[in-house]
Amino acid sequence: MNERSSRAHSLVTLNLTQSCPKTGKSVSSKLFLVDLGGSEQLKKSQAHYKNSNVDAATRHQRTEEAVQINLGLLALKQCVDFLSKASRSS
């Protein structure tokens, strides 16, 4: 979380290794835990309300911020999808 956003996103990677003392064999795995914190809806950002007390420049800024938040979430989703597919193929 930062001072400019109420959204918090997390990505945790756990590397797990299990070994069998009798055989000496081991198995390694990765576990990805992701919390995207939710997407930004224009309706909730009040960017589309023309009758609100917010001027046009502020509405435009809120719209741009909502778009950038959603683009960032999309990029993160694509990274997670890629990592997931790569780990399944190896």
Side-chain angles (χ1 to χ4, degrees):
M1 182 110 58
N2 62 53
E3 72 245 11
R4 297 179 352 160
S5 175
S6 62
R7 304 279 180 210
H9 312 294
S10 317
L11 175 61
V12 177
T13 304
L14 297 175
N15 294 307
L16 308 169
T17 303
Q18 184 177 16
S19 300
C20 178
K22 290 182 181 179
T23 64
K25 291 185 179 182
S26 64
V27 176
S28 297
S29 301
K30 284 188 181 184
L31 176 64
F32 296 95
L33 304 172
V34 180
D35 178 5
L36 297 179
S39 62
E40 187 68 22
Q41 297 179 11
L42 286 178
K43 189 182 251 185
K44 287 188 178 181
S45 71
Q46 297 183 352
H48 75 294
Y49 291 124
K50 290 185 179 180
N51 297 329
S52 69
N53 295 332
V54 178
D55 61 34
T58 302
R59 282 196 312 268
H60 177 72
Q61 180 182 3
R62 287 182 181 173
T63 300
E64 288 298 315
E65 288 173 355
V67 167
Q68 292 303 315
I69 287 169
N70 290 335
L71 286 172
L73 289 172
L74 176 61
L76 181 56
K77 178 191 176 303
Q78 290 171 336
C79 289
V80 170
D81 286 346
F82 175 80
L83 290 171
S84 176
K85 288 176 185 172
S87 69
R88 278 187 253 145
S89 65
S90 59

